[in-house]
Amino acid sequence: MNRPYHQHDPVTQSLLTPEEPGPWEELNSESPSPLLFLCDHASNRIPKKLAHLGLELSVFGKHVAYDIGCEKLTRLLSSRFDASALLAHYSRLVIDLNRHPGDGSSIPEVSDNIEIPGNHALTPARMREREVSLFWPYHNRIEQILGRICGRGQTPILCSIHSFTPVFRGFQRPWHIGVLWDRDQRLSTPLLESLRSSTPFCIGDNEPYHARNPVGYTMDVHGEKNGYPHVLLEIRQDLIGHDEGVAEWATIIHTQLKRVLAQVTIP
């Protein structure tokens, strides 16, 4: 199993105060299922020490701060599948858990034309503080859960939940849901086929993003490099920006993914 564990760094352990929640929340840790849901961009929370990154509070209701609708959707999916899930507790504006550390988009200075004052001119120590406080604890916990699943003699199956904006740079995105994959098509191909044959929706095959551009960290490291079946789902935000939509799409994904998992042979 690939191990992303980061060495302890005593200089950079102080980003979160004792009163703040930890970097992640795990759901259904006692589940016997090999399926693990991941929500890298579940929250728009900012550590108190970062003083809202110098931004107006209204920014944190926008997609630049988190994946709208995904926290509730992941919670429902975890419940319906009786599967474990891991949700990130802090905003992608502090550090993006789905980008490789050091990548230019890991700690964005600008996001969708919005300047992020608190991310400008960060020293290596300040960047490392965010990695050690938020990035590595989240990804190390994923590896621990995967190890737990393997310890039961099962092959882990990963499903990462994201959402995308209906309009991007003036383009009205037609897709209702996108299925993203890179090299491993064990889940993506049958899921695409099932969605297209049994639903009326516009299904994106590596749309609106491609799994290789930009290279996401979570599926690349925990899925591809470990050799575990995995898929990343992108749901359009206007469809899951309200409770009724979340419930509807939880049902759709549960029905489709359950069908695929029953058909696919995973050693």
Side-chain angles (χ1 to χ4, degrees):
M1 183 189 302
N2 187 65
R3 297 285 183 183
Y5 285 77
H6 195 266
Q7 295 298 314
H8 176 70
D9 186 343
V11 178
T12 56
Q13 291 291 332
S14 59
L15 182 60
L16 302 180
T17 65
E19 296 76 27
E20 291 179 287
W24 47 262
E25 177 183 358
E26 184 176 350
L27 307 177
N28 207 357
S29 61
E30 301 302 316
S31 166
S33 172
L35 182 60
L36 171 63
F37 288 99
L38 300 170
C39 195
D40 302 337
H41 304 145
S43 176
N44 58 4
R45 184 183 286 108
I46 303 292
K48 294 177 182 178
K49 291 185 178 181
L50 298 184
H52 300 115
L53 296 171
L55 293 164
E56 296 289 334
L57 292 183
S58 61
V59 172
F60 297 103
K62 300 178 183 292
H63 70 276
V64 296
Y66 71 124
D67 275 357
I68 294 168
C70 284
E71 177 189 357
K72 290 183 177 180
L73 179 59
T74 303
R75 290 183 185 278
L76 270 183
L77 289 170
S78 172
S79 175
R80 294 192 183 185
F81 277 96
D82 187 22
S84 297
L86 198 70
L87 296 90
H89 261 168
Y90 291 88
S91 173
R92 66 197 305 172
L93 293 179
V94 180
I95 186 166
D96 194 326
L97 302 183
N98 195 34
R99 294 292 181 270
H100 289 260
D103 183 279
S105 60
S106 171
I107 303 177
E109 295 186 6
V110 180
S111 182
D112 200 9
N113 297 319
I114 297 175
E115 293 280 341
I116 317 297
N119 288 351
H120 281 265
L122 293 181
T123 64
R126 294 283 75 81
M127 293 181 185
R128 198 162 59 248
E129 178 181 58
R130 298 188 190 189
E131 293 175 11
V132 172
S133 297
L134 301 177
F135 184 92
W136 292 114
Y138 176 78
H139 287 289
N140 290 345
R141 187 58 184 170
I142 293 174
E143 283 294 306
Q144 290 165 2
I145 298 172
L146 296 177
R148 185 174 72 211
I149 294 171
C150 289
R152 299 196 298 260
Q154 297 170 306
T155 298
I157 302 167
L158 291 79
C159 182
S160 187
I161 302 296
H162 292 260
S163 64
F164 63 94
T165 57
V167 179
F168 183 68
R169 295 178 180 174
F171 172 62
Q172 188 80 34
R173 289 163 156 171
W175 310 284
H176 296 89
I177 184 173
V179 178
L180 275 60
W181 55 276
D182 186 359
R183 295 178 293 276
D184 188 335
Q185 300 179 52
R186 284 175 288 179
L187 295 184
S188 60
T189 295
L191 185 56
L192 283 164
E193 292 173 352
S194 182
L195 284 163
R196 286 172 170 165
S197 65
S198 60
T199 74
F201 304 112
C202 181
I203 312 300
D205 181 354
N206 271 331
E207 298 286 0
Y209 310 105
H210 194 292
R212 288 191 291 268
N213 185 27
V215 176
Y217 184 94
T218 303
M219 292 295 96
D220 180 38
V221 169
H222 301 295
E224 290 281 3
K225 292 182 179 177
N226 279 329
Y228 300 147
H230 60 278
V231 68
L232 187 153
L233 300 181
E234 289 268 4
I235 303 94
R236 207 171 66 202
Q237 287 172 357
D238 58 318
L239 303 176
I240 57 172
H242 46 86
D243 289 347
E244 295 83 359
V246 169
E248 178 184 3
W249 278 91
T251 298
I252 293 166
I253 294 169
H254 178 253
T255 300
Q256 299 295 320
L257 187 56
K258 183 179 180 181
R259 178 183 301 164
V260 166
L261 291 176
Q263 294 171 347
V264 175
T265 301
I266 298 172

